[in-house]
Amino acid sequence: MGKAHLTRRALLGGATAVALGATTGTAAATGTAATGTAAAAPAAEVPSLWREFTRTPFTHPQIPYIGRAGCHGGAARLPRRPVVADVTDFGAVADGTTDCAPAINRAIAAAGRAGGGTVTIPPGTFRIDGLIRVADSNVVLRGAGSDRTKLYATRNLTELIGVYGSRYGGDKSSWSWAGGLIWLAPHARWDSLVAAIGARAWPFEGWTGNRRDEWTTLTTTEPARQGSWTLTVADPRQLRPGRLVLLRLADDPDHTLLEHMSGGGPGPQAYYWADKTKLTSYVPYEWPVRITRVHGRRVTLERPLPLDVRPEWDPRLTTHVPELTGAGVEGLTLEAVQTPQSPHLLDKGYNGVVLQCAYDCWLDDVTVRHVDNGFGLVAASACTLRGTRVSGRGSHHPYFCREGSHDNLIEDFTIEERTVPAPPNTQLHGINVEGLSSYNVWSRGDMRMGTFDSHRGLPFANVRTDITVNNNGRHGGDASAGPLFGARFTHWNIRVTNGRAGLMKIDGLAPYSATVGLNTVTEFDQIDVPDFTGELHSRLELYGTTDEVRPRNLYEGQRGL
């Protein structure tokens, strides 16, 4: 992308190329629309929302700009690191009985000491009785393929680390939404988390430490508008191209920041924010971003601003805990010993792969099986999950995205149908997003169970596109976590195979949002009411169709610009 140098002419030209061959007309729902198949090729239609978006891509009121979501701005090719170690050279044996976790971790640590590189795991089944940690930047753990290399995990996080209670009280287990048996997180952040869990001082898990106080101001900033690629700062001396900084926005007593995240206007202004204590604990909003240029006091960013920058929110660029960057896991299956799924919110921590305080990291061709929770993004941003799969006995959160995770791309993902019936008192969510997480994309998905789990905590500006879903899950979220949706949620080309509307058709729920290219659905099971009163300014277009909208995939359409 040419960033600020994009012109309207270039955008419109790109839009024309993306939608090439599209025709206009009225689409009719067909009996095969729910499955995304038809007897004849459907007529292609370019919705008015897309034409509007190409004119104002960074500031459209309903559709967020997510064209740079993912690792390295959404790069099609993930980095390839030279091979520096093989786990068998450190004592790993593919016999299915030897505990290989120490050997694998020794190989990963050696790669870290060498400054990075790829650690290979050959074909076979490697038993692990401990968790696997990737804690150094530029280290990649690579198997021979998810169908050839298996890590067989025998213990859970409660056994390995300890009981992890909720910082919000009650008897809930935080392993229901945190931690992984493969855990990508920088050394100091992981060490401090584990120490806090051991001390039963249940921590915050994000970019600024267990108590959210591990930051210093680099500079304050002048006002700017959402969609701008630049900021004018008071003091640029500590800023340089390539540095990762946090944009920090605090709220004011009238909660105008939360109102802005919700699109503004009478509905958010009338909403009662003061008793939403879980939601307000997520503020300040912290958005990590790399600097690409410093010219005097003018700073250019690698992504456009996600929100306005206003003086009343005390805007500043700050430090953060050192990030994990350039790390990945590829080509393997993590299979947990099969146990019954735990009652809701009492997970023991047979969890899959988690990225935490990670930026420009990735997972590629990774399957998790028989897990409590599948793939997690916890205070992780600008990461790509490609070709991931959740299978086996059923999961609480197949995917979770929380604690201020932004600009991530989850594409070509699969949630398989569970292999055993769900035990009583368990719950299935699906592709989760919560906790002020924003500008994340789920693209080209095959969800044979689950739902689009907007889990309260005011997530905003997230996109689900080109997904087939058997919509049989339920969303969660405490009442104290506030609204299900902020502004600029977009569901674009969604095929609902069981015809259930909940969390798919969001024109009556999400403010300043869009539902485009959804087959006919009806309300049943969990039925929600909007959090905000009055006109939501949400758009519905090409309802009763699937696969007729052009561009077919909103993320790819935006990349095509």
Side-chain angles (χ1 to χ4, degrees), residues 177-416:
W177 55 76
L181 292 170
I182 301 178
W183 200 329
L184 290 82
H187 284 283
R189 192 69 192 95
W190 193 87
D191 291 344
S192 68
L193 281 167
V194 170
I197 294 167
R200 304 181 72 84
W202 314 131
F204 286 93
E205 300 154 283
W207 284 103
T208 48
N210 293 344
R211 293 183 298 275
R212 298 195 74 178
D213 58 359
E214 297 176 34
W215 60 274
T216 59
T217 297
L218 297 170
T219 180
T220 57
T221 79
E222 295 185 4
R225 296 300 301 272
Q226 174 205 325
S228 173
W229 294 76
T230 61
L231 280 172
T232 300
V233 301
D235 182 357
R237 286 177 296 175
Q238 297 188 76
L239 308 180
R240 65 181 185 278
R243 180 167 189 174
L244 186 70
V245 298
L246 284 187
L247 172 65
R248 187 179 191 270
L249 299 176
D251 207 359
D252 61 12
D254 293 328
H255 298 295
T256 61
L257 176 62
L258 296 177
E259 291 174 6
H260 177 53
M261 292 175 179
S262 306
Q269 288 172 4
Y271 186 81
Y272 190 69
W273 301 97
D275 64 345
K276 308 304 186 292
T277 52
K278 189 172 184 178
L279 171 61
T280 54
S281 77
Y282 298 145
V283 182
Y285 175 78
E286 296 169 336
W287 181 63
V289 65
R290 286 200 197 280
I291 294 169
T292 61
R293 186 169 185 259
V294 180
H295 183 69
R297 294 195 300 123
R298 196 76 166 166
V299 176
T300 303
L301 309 174
E302 68 174 337
R303 289 177 174 83
L305 289 173
L307 294 164
D308 287 353
V309 174
R310 301 180 186 173
E312 56 265 36
W313 301 332
D314 189 26
R316 56 190 61 223
L317 300 181
T318 76
T319 63
H320 49 82
V321 297
E323 72 272 15
L324 181 74
T325 190
V329 176
E330 303 173 350
L332 58 81
T333 288
L334 172 68
E335 180 176 319
V337 58
Q338 187 168 349
T339 59
Q341 186 177 346
S342 296
H344 188 224
L345 300 177
L346 297 177
D347 295 347
K348 295 181 174 64
Y350 289 106
N351 294 348
V353 188
V354 166
L355 297 97
Q356 185 161 5
C357 295
Y359 195 94
D360 279 337
C361 294
W362 67 90
L363 309 177
D364 186 23
D365 182 28
V366 177
T367 294
V368 295
R369 184 174 295 125
H370 303 320
V371 292
D372 293 337
N373 301 280
F375 295 94
L377 295 158
V378 181
S381 292
C383 295
T384 294
L385 279 62
R386 180 175 296 165
T388 55
R389 179 180 295 263
V390 181
S391 66
R393 49 86 157 159
S395 303
H396 177 199
H397 294 95
Y399 291 82
F400 55 97
C401 178
R402 52 178 293 271
E403 203 82 6
S405 291
H406 315 291
D407 303 301
N408 297 294
L409 172 64
I410 301 93
E411 64 180 357
D412 298 312
F413 67 94
T414 301
I415 303 174
E416 294 186 0

Side-chain angles (χ1 to χ4, degrees), residues 350-520:
Y350 289 106
N351 294 348
V353 188
V354 166
L355 297 97
Q356 185 161 5
C357 295
Y359 195 94
D360 279 337
C361 294
W362 67 90
L363 309 177
D364 186 23
D365 182 28
V366 177
T367 294
V368 295
R369 184 174 295 125
H370 303 320
V371 292
D372 293 337
N373 301 280
F375 295 94
L377 295 158
V378 181
S381 292
C383 295
T384 294
L385 279 62
R386 180 175 296 165
T388 55
R389 179 180 295 263
V390 181
S391 66
R393 49 86 157 159
S395 303
H396 177 199
H397 294 95
Y399 291 82
F400 55 97
C401 178
R402 52 178 293 271
E403 203 82 6
S405 291
H406 315 291
D407 303 301
N408 297 294
L409 172 64
I410 301 93
E411 64 180 357
D412 298 312
F413 67 94
T414 301
I415 303 174
E416 294 186 0
E417 187 175 357
R418 65 190 313 138
T419 54
V420 297
N425 303 315
T426 60
Q427 197 162 122
L428 164 67
H429 296 312
I431 51 174
N432 156 277
V433 62
E434 58 181 289
L436 302 185
S437 297
S438 62
Y439 293 86
N440 300 290
V441 181
W442 290 262
S443 170
R444 294 198 305 267
D446 179 7
M447 296 176 60
R448 302 168 198 172
M449 64 177 190
T451 194
F452 292 176
D453 175 33
S454 294
H455 206 93
R456 300 199 179 276
L458 198 64
F460 66 95
N462 296 286
V463 167
R464 291 107 170 203
T465 183
D466 196 9
I467 298 171
T468 301
V469 53
N470 178 30
N471 185 24
N472 62 359
R474 298 171 66 84
H475 77 74
D478 294 341
S480 65
L484 279 171
F485 299 94
R488 298 187 304 285
F489 259 83
T490 302
H491 291 177
W492 187 283
N493 193 25
I494 306 299
R495 302 168 289 274
V496 183
T497 61
N498 63 346
R500 178 181 165 219
L503 300 174
M504 305 289 128
K505 186 176 182 290
I506 57 173
D507 57 299
L509 290 175
Y512 286 94
S513 293
T515 307
V516 180
L518 172 74
N519 57 278
T520 303

